[in-house]
Amino acid sequence: MKKVFLVKYGEIALKGLNKPYFERMLINQIKSRLKAFKVIDIFKSDGIVYVKMDENESDTQVIKEIKKVFGIAYISLSYETETDIEMITKSAVEYVKNLISETQIKTFKVETRRGYKQFSLKSPEISSLVGASILKETQGISVDVHQPDYRIYIDVRRDKSYIYSEKIQGYGGLPLGTNGKGLILLSGGIDSPVAGWMMAKRGMQIEAVHFHSYPFTSERAKEKVMDLAKIMTQYTGKIKIHHVNLLNIQQQIAEKCPEAELVILSRRFMMKIAERIAKSNRCDALITGESLGQVASQTIHGLVATDHSVNMIVMRPLIATDKVDIMNVAKDIGTYETSIQPYEDCCTVFLPKHPSTRPKLENILRSENLLDVEGLIEDALLDTEVVTVEI
Ligand code: ATP
Ligand code: MG
């Protein structure tokens, strides 16, 4: 029997007139994920993408790669057969015999979907005919329509039909590149890689900016961010990172402004610099890993004072997410282990003892006016290093 990976999509299916565009983008992404593999054919038909691979490729590896493409509801490794009841039955029996030899299957249920409406039999008729043949030609298994160990799915299509039993969940979302480009403020922590990943999941291409305080922060801190970006590229494709030195700005703030405002003032500078980088690199939005109330600078007052610094949409996908949930996503996508490695963040270098949790915008603006904001931003932009991280 020939193996075919069936890729089914969720939200793209609802796209109306734009659907072909989203499907094309999805196929491009699948092709690019499978670059290192021997692909025989990838095509779409009736709202499903079919992926045929060289038989020597590992099924688990292929599924692992396809899973990283956004826009997919689920993936099934199926067996192709002719759209003919005898062939379908024969293949299904063989399929279940394989399952018996490889698994602990005791009960099953056949479920048919008839995409090809002209087929001579109706779905329930196909299921019961195939089910009866499976029972007749195998031993030790029975039908359970409520809680079967395995559901044997039969997809009847016009040209070919497909048999499978597993639906491996994808991440959903929309294909990369269908929703502009976002500039993620990427620290070395747990949150920001997850935030970037979440926006990429909605179709955004990702570029990144990282602020360091070299030589107060080490080379290692910068490398850590590159490591995180590298993990993210598995989902997002290549990422351009702008490394900006914030040290001079932090020193100026520490010298001239009230200590309690240091964090908010540096965060405003980060945002302003990010906005400039975004605009000169055609990014449509800024993205941060902020979560309401998580730390002093992320109280509602802190966020208001930070947000006010820029004139550009700021996406904060984690705003209503608890830390444990963010950590779980980080573990799932593979950034967690790198994020928890110790490093010095530029924010912790100048951490005040009592950061303000209720900053007043007017006070913050007054303090900021003590600084040459424009000059400092321009200097920082000149002290920027750009590196591209590839998969
Ligand atoms: P994270 O896990 O992302 O470090 P955090 O809880 O440590 O989050 P903060 O340090 O307050 O939070 O930062 C909030 C957000 O600001 C981060 O999620 C990130 O988007 C941005 N940010 C913070 N520090 C930096 C940095 N050094 N470079 C770039 N962006 C940063
Ligand atoms: Mg941080």
Side-chain angles (χ1 to χ4, degrees):
M1 285 194 287
K2 267 196 221 135
K3 282 189 217 169
V4 188
F5 295 89
L6 307 185
V7 179
K8 307 215 178 179
Y9 27 92
E11 245 180 272
I12 300 174
L14 311 171
K15 285 286 170 201
L17 287 180
N18 286 330
K19 193 170 150 188
Y21 162 70
F22 282 89
E23 289 176 326
R24 216 167 40 245
M25 295 297 273
L26 181 75
I27 289 179
N28 287 345
Q29 286 301 323
I30 296 175
K31 282 185 178 159
S32 117
R33 284 305 331 156
L34 294 175
K35 236 184 227 155
F37 295 74
K38 236 176 150 185
V39 179
I40 306 291
D41 199 7
I42 300 184
F43 60 95
K44 77 166 171 73
S45 169
D46 295 335
I48 296 178
V49 173
Y50 297 83
V51 181
K52 295 189 179 180
M53 303 296 293
D54 183 276
E55 58 185 36
N56 293 321
E57 296 293 4
S58 136
D59 298 338
T60 11
Q61 282 303 320
V62 170
I63 287 175
K64 203 173 144 202
E65 288 308 312
I66 300 179
K67 245 192 92 164
K68 291 178 194 156
V69 173
F70 297 130
I72 294 174
Y74 60 87
I75 308 154
S76 295
L77 172 55
S78 78
Y79 288 84
E80 186 181 277
T81 184
E82 301 303 317
T83 296
D84 163 274
I85 188 64
E86 274 180 31
M87 287 306 292
I88 291 174
T89 310
K90 194 165 157 257
S91 308
V93 169
E94 199 182 322
Y95 183 86
V96 174
K97 280 184 177 166
N98 277 343
L99 270 184
I100 294 173
S101 66
E102 286 166 7
T103 69
Q104 303 286 323
I105 179 171
K106 287 278 167 274
T107 56
F108 73 98
K109 177 190 181 189
V110 179
E111 287 186 14
T112 306
R113 269 199 52 208
R114 200 179 51 142
Y116 175 47
K117 299 293 177 206
Q118 283 77 31
F119 193 68
S120 55
L121 299 166
K122 296 221 162 69
S123 303
E125 293 170 330
I126 302 169
S127 298
S128 67
L129 276 174
V130 173
S133 290
I134 292 173
L135 282 175
K136 206 168 101 202
E137 299 195 30
T138 59
Q139 272 110 44
I141 57 170
S142 59
V143 172
D144 180 345
V145 291
H146 301 295
Q147 278 192 311
D149 295 338
Y150 283 84
R151 285 172 203 270
I152 312 300
Y153 299 105
I154 300 177
D155 241 355
V156 181
R157 303 271 156 179
R158 196 170 64 120
D159 298 324
K160 301 280 178 194
S161 293
Y162 302 89
I163 298 166
Y164 55 96
S165 60
E166 229 186 330
K167 294 181 179 181
I168 298 152
Q169 261 214 311
Y171 287 115
L174 295 168
L176 207 62
T178 58
N179 252 322
K181 184 160 76 163
L183 181 69
I184 173 80
L185 282 80
L186 193 62
S187 68
I190 296 169
D191 306 329
S192 43
V194 172
W197 181 87
M198 282 180 75
M199 294 320 299
K201 183 159 98 77
R202 294 303 301 171
M204 270 202 145
Q205 274 182 328
I206 297 298
E207 192 155 324
V209 54
H210 172 66
F211 298 94
H212 61 87
S213 317
Y214 189 78
F216 277 60
T217 54
S218 64
E219 268 302 314
R220 178 67 205 116
K222 236 158 81 185
E223 278 164 26
K224 184 183 178 188
V225 169
M226 306 274 277
D227 291 346
L228 284 171
K230 175 102 182 151
I231 300 168
M232 291 169 74
T233 60
Q234 294 179 49
Y235 305 89
T236 64
K238 67 177 177 202
I239 299 181
K240 190 163 141 191
I241 311 182
H242 305 257
H243 292 275
V244 183
N245 194 330
L246 204 67
L247 183 59
N248 185 32
I249 292 177
Q250 289 173 304
Q251 284 172 330
Q252 288 287 313
I253 300 172
E255 204 176 291
K256 300 193 173 138
C257 307
E259 191 189 271
E261 292 171 3
L262 204 150
V263 177
I264 291 290
L265 285 167
S266 352
R267 296 200 50 73
R268 285 175 57 89
F269 271 98
M270 284 189 193
M271 299 294 277
K272 284 173 191 281
I273 293 168
E275 182 181 32
R276 303 284 175 103
I277 294 174
K279 288 188 173 157
S280 53
N281 288 273
R282 298 179 188 203
C283 298
D284 309 286
L286 300 180
I287 307 168
T288 75
E290 289 160 313
S291 163
L292 187 61
Q294 195 189 77
V295 288
S297 59
Q298 295 171 33
T299 60
I300 184 62
H301 307 280
L303 288 171
V304 168
T306 306
D307 201 59
H308 194 265
S309 60
V310 289
N311 220 328
M312 183 171 199
I313 183 165
V314 181
M315 302 197 160
R316 299 181 167 90
L318 306 180
I319 198 69
T321 315
D322 291 359
K323 192 78 186 189
V324 275
D325 297 324
I326 300 171
M327 282 159 62
N328 285 337
V329 179
K331 285 175 191 164
D332 181 41
I333 65 176
T335 51
Y336 183 78
E337 288 303 323
T338 305
S339 288
I340 57 171
Q341 284 169 22
Y343 79 111
E344 331 82 43
D345 184 18
C346 72
C347 298
T348 49
V349 175
F350 288 91
L351 207 59
K353 279 186 212 72
H354 301 290
S356 165
T357 54
R358 294 180 68 87
K360 274 222 176 77
L361 187 57
E362 61 207 70
N363 296 348
I364 296 289
L365 292 177
R366 198 177 311 126
S367 305
E368 206 170 77
N369 273 334
L370 301 172
L371 305 165
D372 171 16
V373 175
E374 192 51 37
L376 286 169
I377 290 177
E378 273 166 27
D379 287 350
L381 284 170
L382 288 176
D383 198 357
T384 297
E385 185 193 348
V386 184
V387 188
T388 299
V389 183
E390 312 254 359
I391 299 180

